[in-house]
Amino acid sequence: MVVYKYKLNAGDQVVKMPANPRILSVGAQGDDVVVWALVDKSLPVVGRRLYTAFTGEVHGALTHFGRHVGTVQMTNGIVVHVFDQDGG
């Protein structure tokens, strides 16, 4: 097992990581929003669906946010909420 860091983009995205990750936390690193996950490198790499939402953002047709994994307050005042769409 190892902890890896993955940079996130805005909105809906698929992050490539080993199957069955345990998402530990999200945070800001410089200007980036990142997620840290405990992964088993021996498992096959799969796509994990994550969603980043800004406070006050209208989400249109998105009906499934998934499990909230953390909120990040950026130094510029923007607040980002991260959801694991594959994690329940």
Side-chain angles (χ1 to χ4, degrees):
M1 301 292 279
V2 63
V3 176
Y4 279 160
K5 174 183 73 178
Y6 302 90
K7 180 181 170 188
L8 301 180
N9 298 310
D12 196 15
Q13 61 210 282
V14 175
V15 178
K16 298 289 185 186
M17 58 180 66
N20 303 317
R22 180 175 166 202
I23 295 178
L24 301 174
S25 67
V26 296
Q29 202 165 57
D31 292 334
D32 297 324
V33 174
V34 298
V35 60
W36 288 271
L38 182 65
V39 299
D40 182 344
K41 294 187 336 178
S42 69
L43 294 176
V45 173
V46 297
R48 188 76 175 196
R49 293 179 327 124
L50 300 176
Y51 187 80
T52 58
F54 300 104
T55 297
E57 176 182 3
V58 175
H59 302 285
L62 184 67
T63 59
H64 174 69
F65 280 84
R67 182 178 62 88
H68 178 259
V69 295
T71 295
V72 180
Q73 296 185 29
M74 305 298 291
T75 58
N76 61 5
I78 293 174
V79 179
V80 180
H81 311 277
V82 180
F83 298 87
D84 181 359
Q85 294 179 298
D86 291 330

